[in-house]
Amino acid sequence: YGANGSNGVIIITTKKGTGKSKVNYAYRSGFKQITDNRFQVLSGEEYNNMLMEMGYQDYINNVHTDWYDLYYRNGLSQQHNLSFSGSETNGLSHYVSAGIYNEKMTIIANNIQRYTLRSNIEKDFGGRLKFHLITSGSYNVNDMFNPSDEFYMRRPNISAYNPDGTYALRDDRGKRIFSSLAEAEQNDNT
């Protein structure tokens, strides 16, 4: 290794089965919450008062939407791991593990799912010949959504929903608006 190896060599080992056969299960869970250090915007009432002071009484209504609350939620993560390991007197050792990880992030429509599988099988055929089979794989599903600046750029006196519960695509004055809330739900359901 020359000068590059002067600090020593790092050997990475993988888990192996040793001793009697055993089964292990591990579970881990976490909770995520956004702190209240949110971007300060006007409430619907404050926005209507500002419109009143500016003389825009025609734009005042009784709608008070907190866009921040519509785009953010409490998050949750869960991880399950199951493994089987052991070694036999005939020179066979085995370690097989599987894991599932789920995370619901704090921004709506952001979710991660990961499935992993790993195995390490070793067979000793009498000292001169050893067989190693090490496999691993994972499958990830990442649903990502970015609300951009919509949660603090939208007027607080526009409703996110129509009276029938569908997403509003026009404001109270008939002006077309793009609802990324609808986009988030569409991405979640496809």
Side-chain angles (χ1 to χ4, degrees):
Y1 298 129
N4 293 333
S6 63
N7 289 329
V9 177
I10 298 173
I11 298 174
I12 299 173
T13 59
T14 58
K15 292 184 179 181
K16 295 181 182 184
T18 57
K20 292 192 305 187
S21 291
K22 59 186 170 185
V23 176
N24 289 321
Y25 173 75
Y27 173 75
R28 186 175 74 186
S29 181
F31 180 74
K32 297 178 183 187
Q33 188 173 24
I34 301 248
T35 61
D36 205 21
N37 294 340
R38 63 168 72 182
F39 195 83
Q40 297 300 312
V41 295
L42 297 176
S43 68
E45 185 177 343
E46 292 167 334
Y47 190 80
N48 284 337
N49 290 339
M50 182 191 69
L51 291 174
M52 179 73 81
E53 290 175 13
M54 295 172 59
Y56 291 107
Q57 286 82 1
D58 292 345
Y59 291 93
I60 295 173
N61 61 30
N62 289 326
V63 176
H64 305 291
T65 302
D66 186 345
W67 291 96
Y68 188 89
D69 284 345
L70 293 176
Y71 284 104
Y72 290 91
R73 63 186 177 188
N74 291 327
L76 179 67
S77 64
Q78 295 179 326
Q79 184 170 358
H80 302 270
N81 290 312
L82 181 64
S83 67
F84 305 94
S85 64
S87 63
E88 309 297 328
T89 56
N90 63 1
L92 176 67
S93 66
H94 60 280
Y95 177 85
V96 178
S97 69
I100 298 173
Y101 176 76
N102 288 312
E103 182 176 2
K104 180 177 90 170
M105 295 183 176
T106 53
I107 297 177
I108 62 166
N110 283 334
N111 302 302
I112 295 175
Q113 292 180 319
R114 181 173 47 244
Y115 305 93
T116 58
L117 182 62
R118 190 173 110 184
S119 70
N120 185 353
I121 299 171
E122 182 179 318
K123 172 70 173 159
D124 188 349
F125 291 99
R128 290 189 159 222
L129 179 63
K130 283 187 179 179
F131 173 75
H132 291 272
L133 176 63
I134 300 171
T135 59
S136 64
S138 68
Y139 176 72
N140 296 322
V141 178
N142 298 322
D143 296 325
M144 295 296 167
F145 166 72
N146 182 2
S148 185
D149 58 1
E150 191 165 320
F151 68 92
Y152 65 86
M153 292 295 288
R154 287 266 184 239
R155 291 187 350 233
N157 68 346
I158 297 175
S159 178
Y161 304 99
N162 292 321
D164 65 358
T166 60
Y167 289 103
L169 299 178
R170 299 194 179 276
D171 67 10
D172 56 336
R173 315 255 324 146
K175 182 180 174 190
R176 183 162 169 70
I177 59 174
F178 175 74
S179 175
S180 58
L181 288 171
E183 178 189 14
E185 183 172 311
Q186 179 182 3
N187 287 345
D188 259 3
N189 294 324
T190 56

